[in-house]
């Protein structure tokens, strides 16, 4: 399972781990992903999404119905 938010598209970013001696070693910054179920009242069913914390805030702001409609318009199967 890939570490990508289904709503925002956030995925791991690359950077450097820097020590006190200023040694640089490559590392990955992983998105804050959660598996969350949402009740969709219009469809009378649960929808499970793997999304980041900012994706949850997007759903709180726009509503689950509008977000699902946008995802389906992009071709995602839910």
């Amino acid at each position: 399972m890939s570490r990508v938010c289904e709503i925002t598209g956030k995925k791991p970013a690359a950077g450097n781990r820097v020590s006190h001696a200023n040694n640089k070693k490559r590392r990955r910054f992983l998105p804050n992903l959660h598996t969350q179920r949402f009740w969709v009242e219009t469809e009378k069913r649960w929808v499970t999404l793997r999304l980041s914390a900012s994706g949850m805030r997007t759903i709180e702001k726009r509503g689950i119905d509008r977000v699902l409609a946008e995802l389906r318009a992009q071709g995602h199967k839910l």
Side-chain angles (χ1 to χ4, degrees):
M1 187 179 275
S2 63
R3 292 185 169 117
V4 178
C5 174
E6 294 183 61
I7 305 276
T8 61
K10 287 189 177 193
K11 52 189 173 186
N16 285 317
R17 177 180 290 117
V18 182
S19 68
H20 290 291
N22 208 28
N23 297 330
K24 293 174 183 67
K25 182 166 171 49
R26 297 302 284 179
R27 62 160 289 185
R28 291 174 70 191
F29 292 94
L30 299 178
N32 185 15
L33 290 181
H34 301 276
T35 302
Q36 181 69 44
R37 291 191 328 156
F38 294 96
W39 176 252
V40 183
E41 188 61 38
T42 56
E43 301 176 12
K44 301 283 191 224
R45 71 182 188 103
W46 291 98
V47 173
T48 303
L49 296 173
R50 190 157 192 234
L51 42 85
S52 62
S54 63
M56 287 188 198
R57 294 182 69 212
T58 302
I59 289 176
E60 285 290 319
K61 184 176 180 179
R62 294 185 189 164
I64 187 67
D65 292 321
R66 187 168 156 197
V67 171
L68 288 179
E70 290 172 3
L71 285 175
R72 288 186 175 123
Q74 294 172 1
H76 292 278
K77 187 172 184 281
L78 301 169

